[in-house]
Amino acid sequence: MTFVAPPGYQPIYGPRIPYLGPIYGGLREGTSIYLQGSIPEDITRFFVNLLCGESESSDIALHFNPRFDGWDKVVFNTCQNGSWESEEKIRSMPFCKGQSFEMVIMVTSQGYQIKVNGNDFHTFQHRVPVERVCAMQIAGDVSIQTINVIGGGYPGDMGGGMGPVPYANMIPGGMFPKRTIIIRGMVPYGADKISINFVVSRSRDIAFHMNPRVREGIVVRNSMIGGNWGLEDRELSLNPFMEGHRRNELLCGLVDGFDGLWVSCVCAPQMSIRCGNQRFKVFVNGQHLFDFFHRLQSFSEIDMLEIDGDVQISYIHF
């Protein structure tokens, strides 16, 4: 059984290169494009284009082009009406031959801010209105594991940088069907435990407690109602959080259009949790992992999100 997230929130895993595909919903200030991939030893060059149409002949709002040619550099440019504009050459190379990488393209009011492996690299100022961008193209000597487009500057966003934990904030308007929440962060190497709670602030009941215990290789599920913890659910057919990864990229969300909650770990397992009328249904890499039946009569009472443990929060969207 395959779980498909709604357009605009569905990560793309293992795309074939060359790749050309739409960016559902387009781009706006606050949007981030996350790419995880690897560079071969014999690399010459590769590029990432943000296109104003879904064909190779479309205008290019951003051309990002690392070149390993003896004078290693990254070239930025724009192409309009079939004509290339003036190049910006950054004579520094953030990628290493034969190694994996994580790259983020963040849309700001000034331009496209590029980060590679967590480090600021360059901001390419807008030459084409960002609202025109509707597709992405990737080609050359590169392997891509994950493409994910998230955000968009809506109320409730946590901006760039790492947010502190423990984190606790009200969910504006509370929970209701088709409510969407996105959480993104880093689970560092050597992490022990993480806690994600959906809470009823009035009573302090925890309607759904998800507790990945990385070192133990288990994910505990529970609820706390009336000050009392219920029986733990621990049984799993596979382990979605595995010790030994340098870090996992954590992406969680309540998905618009699916009446529920989904969670995706971008760098290792891909996990989704769907909340139905009777239960949460949890999937990893498209495979059903477990069900967690509701123990609180109405999840519409949930109005607070709490996160704690060995995780750095980089993005939250209500």
Side-chain angles (χ1 to χ4, degrees), residues 220-262:
V220 173
R221 295 87 67 193
N222 208 340
S223 61
M224 187 182 72
I225 300 174
N228 299 313
W229 285 103
L231 295 176
E232 291 184 347
D233 290 346
R234 290 183 169 225
E235 295 301 318
L236 289 177
S237 58
L238 54 93
N239 177 14
F241 293 88
M242 298 180 66
E243 177 102 76
H245 293 287
R246 178 174 60 88
R247 57 187 174 179
N248 288 332
E249 188 77 9
L250 180 64
L251 175 64
C252 316
L254 285 170
V255 175
D256 188 18
F258 276 88
D259 217 15
L261 168 70
W262 68 282

Side-chain angles (χ1 to χ4, degrees), residues 16-28:
R16 297 181 64 178
I17 304 298
Y19 168 83
L20 177 60
I23 299 174
Y24 294 106
L27 298 181
R28 59 181 64 84

Side-chain angles (χ1 to χ4, degrees), residues 83-269:
S83 299
W84 287 101
E85 301 182 359
S86 58
E87 292 183 340
E88 291 182 19
K89 296 181 181 179
I90 309 301
R91 299 191 180 277
S92 174
M93 180 55 67
F95 304 96
C96 296
K97 293 182 178 181
Q99 293 190 16
S100 60
F101 68 87
E102 294 171 338
M103 173 179 164
V104 179
I105 303 172
M106 294 185 293
V107 183
T108 70
S109 59
Q110 291 75 36
Y112 299 100
Q113 183 181 355
I114 311 297
K115 291 191 174 188
V116 179
N117 296 327
N119 300 314
D120 286 327
F121 179 67
H122 182 64
T123 297
F124 180 74
Q125 293 189 349
H126 293 301
R127 300 180 185 177
V128 175
V130 68
E131 293 79 14
R132 292 186 58 199
V133 175
C134 61
M136 179 186 300
Q137 180 185 22
I138 305 173
D141 304 321
V142 67
S143 175
I144 299 296
Q145 282 76 56
T146 303
I147 301 173
N148 197 25
V149 181
I150 57 175
Y154 298 107
D157 284 355
M158 176 186 291
M162 291 297 181
V165 291
Y167 169 89
N169 205 355
M170 300 299 293
I171 300 173
M175 288 303 302
F176 51 82
K178 301 183 182 180
R179 183 65 192 264
T180 300
I181 297 177
I182 303 292
I183 305 167
R184 185 180 177 191
M186 295 288 184
V187 180
Y189 177 82
D192 184 12
K193 298 178 181 179
I194 305 164
S195 175
I196 301 173
N197 292 331
F198 287 85
V199 181
V200 178
S201 63
R202 173 182 54 80
S203 62
R204 294 303 303 167
D205 286 344
I206 300 175
F208 181 65
H209 169 72
M210 181 177 173
N211 179 210
R213 300 180 184 179
V214 183
R215 294 181 185 176
E216 296 178 53
I218 61 174
V219 178
V220 173
R221 295 87 67 193
N222 208 340
S223 61
M224 187 182 72
I225 300 174
N228 299 313
W229 285 103
L231 295 176
E232 291 184 347
D233 290 346
R234 290 183 169 225
E235 295 301 318
L236 289 177
S237 58
L238 54 93
N239 177 14
F241 293 88
M242 298 180 66
E243 177 102 76
H245 293 287
R246 178 174 60 88
R247 57 187 174 179
N248 288 332
E249 188 77 9
L250 180 64
L251 175 64
C252 316
L254 285 170
V255 175
D256 188 18
F258 276 88
D259 217 15
L261 168 70
W262 68 282
V263 179
S264 171
C265 298
V266 177
C267 289

